[in-house]
Amino acid sequence: MKKRHIALSALALVGIGGATAAYVATPTVHEGSLGEAPELGRAGEYTVGTQEMAFELPERLTFGKLDMATGGTQSVNRTLQVRLYYPATDAAVGAEPIAYSHTMQPPEMEPITLEYSGRAFAELAPLSEGQFPLVIMSHGFNGWNTQFSNLAEHISSRGYVVASIDHADMKLEGASDFIHSFATVLASRSLDQRQVLAQILARAAAEDAGAFALIDAENIGLIGYSMGGYGALATAGGDYDYDAGTFDAVPGDALAPVRAAASSDAGIDALVTFAPWGGQPDNRVWSPDSLAKITAPVLIVSGSEDDVANHKEGVRWIFDQLSGAGRHMLVYRDARHNIVGNAFDFAEGAPFRAIEFMNEPVWRQDRINGINQHFVTAFLDLNLKGDEDMASYLDVPTVNANDGTWDVSFGEQLNGKMAGEEEPDHWRGFQRRWALGLEMHRRAAGE
């Protein structure tokens, strides 16, 4: 009897013959998206165009290695490359999506070039009408502006204009370069975000041509990863504790513009931070009072074993202190710091240092991407488009996804069905048996 029971259970779960073929052919499997991606992790209705342009940020203060000891600074015009993604007209028949390329230069190693395919079309004409929220994206330390192109393309396909900043972090050659580069990032990340946003909104207000004409300036989102999250929290209103020892390597004059900018409202309406750096006890750059000043809704995404931003004492601390904002925190159990970013194919024999910079030791990167796309879509649609139905994707019935339940009849074939209103005890939008290894924490403003 026991063997028969096991065999029948297996049949009920995986199906046989024609049932298996039906799963492969199910319409829930979208071209370009994995069939396992949750509901909102699948591409939206819009064709996506993309272009890269330079933004000049005038009169920015910078400093050299010697200046970190003397306190000196120099004024320069800082130029950053920003890649735009936007809803576009349909691509011509036979047109090929964009192919991205980026060369990593790990310290004391040969450069490594990553080639990866996108879904957007280069220089495609924007739609001629319509208004779409603007989302700014900001990468982590020594990242680049197409590192999360999959997420940017996905958001844009669902009706957003996305501007992904390349912060041009100083390259690393040794320990002294690391300290210098990191110090410049401490002083520049939030300013970069604020100034790029201001210039984009100015061009939108001037009814500039192209993608700028599509921007709904009343609804602004900001997404930051790691040091991008460090900057984003400040940009959204959480000014730094400048007396924190973390800023000791930054000349005081270089922090003056950051202080001045923090006194103005950047107008962020929705904030997403992936593995935000700066909450851990040994490098804490905020006070509880400063984080409590953030009022925009916040989605934090973190790995439970993050040993860079320190999930247990850093990221969770940030989440707890954001008492002025309604917020959610999605946690990937057993994940470390790389919980966002494209799933790159490394050549055979690629050095582990490069792989470790991009990949997770437990989670597949493509699986993470689909889940991130699902929850970021729900969060932005709720808070920037006012789609109240999206709250049910975020306000999940169980903190631990493993505790969700979904009753099915014996032998029932689900064919990629995703939980909806009829499965109230399962995380909405996830297939049965596939909402695992995740937690979702929620706090209302005032808590």
Side-chain angles (χ1 to χ4, degrees):
M1 288 295 293
K2 186 174 182 180
K3 290 183 179 179
R4 176 177 172 79
H5 175 74
I6 293 172
L8 287 173
S9 297
L11 280 176
L13 293 175
V14 304
I16 56 173
T20 301
Y23 178 80
V24 173
T26 178
T28 65
V29 180
H30 291 211
E31 181 180 357
S33 296
L34 292 176
E36 67 184 77
E39 182 180 353
L40 303 180
R42 300 157 191 272
E45 64 179 291
Y46 294 100
T47 300
V48 178
T50 184
Q51 62 182 115
E52 190 173 62
M53 57 183 60
F55 281 69
E56 185 171 291
L57 313 182
E59 299 180 355
R60 287 287 295 272
L61 293 182
T62 188
F63 50 91
K65 292 180 183 179
L66 182 60
D67 295 323
M68 292 192 295
T70 65
T73 59
Q74 301 85 44
S75 179
V76 300
N77 288 341
R78 178 168 166 81
T79 301
L80 300 180
Q81 297 296 316
V82 177
R83 179 162 287 279
L84 295 180
Y85 299 86
Y86 48 86
T89 58
D90 289 337
V93 176
E96 291 292 329
I98 190 170
Y100 302 104
S101 179
H102 176 76
T103 300
M104 297 176 63
Q105 295 181 305
E108 302 174 0
M109 291 176 55
E110 291 295 319
I112 300 167
T113 298
L114 300 172
E115 307 281 353
Y116 44 109
S117 299
R119 300 190 64 200
F121 294 85
E123 306 297 333
L124 198 60
L127 293 179
S128 59
E129 58 184 16
Q131 290 282 282
F132 303 95
L134 172 67
V135 177
I136 304 293
M137 294 183 68
S138 179
H139 61 72
F141 183 52
N142 262 232
W144 63 96
N145 63 358
T146 59
Q147 186 178 350
F148 321 119
S149 59
N150 63 322
L151 181 59
E153 290 173 340
H154 178 81
I155 294 170
S156 187
S157 79
R158 288 188 166 262
Y160 293 84
V161 176
V162 180
S164 185
I165 305 170
D166 193 319
H167 292 280
D169 297 342
M170 296 179 181
K171 301 307 177 187
L172 309 178
E173 296 296 338
S176 63
D177 291 316
F178 177 90
I179 295 171
H180 180 212
S181 181
F182 199 79
T184 63
V185 171
L186 289 171
S188 66
R189 206 48 123 231
S190 181
L191 286 179
D192 286 353
Q193 295 166 1
R194 284 176 172 270
Q195 291 184 315
V196 168
L197 171 59
Q199 288 194 21
I200 291 175
L201 292 181
R203 295 182 69 167
E207 299 182 353
D208 205 336
F212 298 101
L214 298 178
I215 292 173
D216 171 10
E218 299 300 316
N219 290 287
I220 307 298
L222 175 58
I223 298 176
Y225 166 55
S226 192
M227 292 307 292
Y230 152 89
L233 286 161
T235 301
D239 196 12
Y240 302 120
D241 174 7
Y242 298 98
D243 293 327
T246 301
F247 294 106
D248 287 350
V250 183
D253 287 348
L255 291 173
V258 186
R259 291 176 184 260
S263 65
S264 64
D265 182 6
I268 303 302
D269 300 297
L271 175 63
V272 180
T273 63
F274 289 92
W277 189 92
Q280 58 274 38
D282 51 347
N283 286 114
R284 187 162 289 169
V285 297
W286 294 282
S287 69
D289 288 343
S290 64
L291 287 178
K293 293 179 181 178
I294 296 174
T295 58
V298 181
L299 171 63
I300 294 177
V301 185
S302 182
S304 70
E305 305 305 315
D306 190 326
D307 53 353
V308 175
N310 188 338
H311 172 75
K312 295 178 176 64
E313 299 177 286
V315 179
R316 286 195 65 94
W317 180 85
I318 291 172
F319 177 73
D320 289 339
Q321 307 313 313
L322 290 168
S323 57
R327 64 239 191 240
H328 292 78
M329 181 169 66
L330 174 67
V331 179
Y332 289 92
R333 285 202 298 273
D334 295 323
R336 291 204 183 272
H337 191 64
N338 300 332
I339 40 79
V340 66
N342 295 354
F344 296 104
D345 292 326
F346 286 91
E348 184 176 354
F352 182 72
R353 184 183 298 180
I355 297 171
E356 185 180 32
F357 185 73
M358 303 303 306
N359 291 346
E360 276 295 316
V362 173
W363 284 79
R364 291 193 345 253
Q365 216 68 27
D366 58 344
R367 176 66 174 160
I368 286 176
N369 289 340
I371 294 171
N372 286 341
Q373 290 165 191
H374 172 82
F375 282 113
V376 170
T377 296
F379 179 77
L380 295 180
D381 281 3
L382 172 65
N383 293 295
L384 298 184
K385 294 184 177 181
D387 186 347
E388 296 295 333
D389 184 54
M390 292 292 136
S392 62
Y393 292 94
L394 295 160
D395 299 341
V396 293
T398 60
V399 171
N400 184 344
N402 296 25
D403 294 336
T405 59
W406 178 344
D407 294 331
V408 294
S409 303
F410 175 76
E412 181 180 351
Q413 295 294 304
L414 298 177
N415 271 353
K417 179 182 177 183
M418 291 167 277
E421 294 180 355
E422 297 178 355
E423 295 79 32
D425 298 320
H426 193 275
W427 282 27
R428 184 176 178 186
F430 281 78
Q431 299 88 336
R432 179 177 172 265
R433 304 175 63 246
W434 284 74
L436 289 172
L438 301 167
E439 297 173 11
M440 180 67 84
H441 302 265
R442 181 178 72 208
R443 301 272 182 85
E447 295 182 351

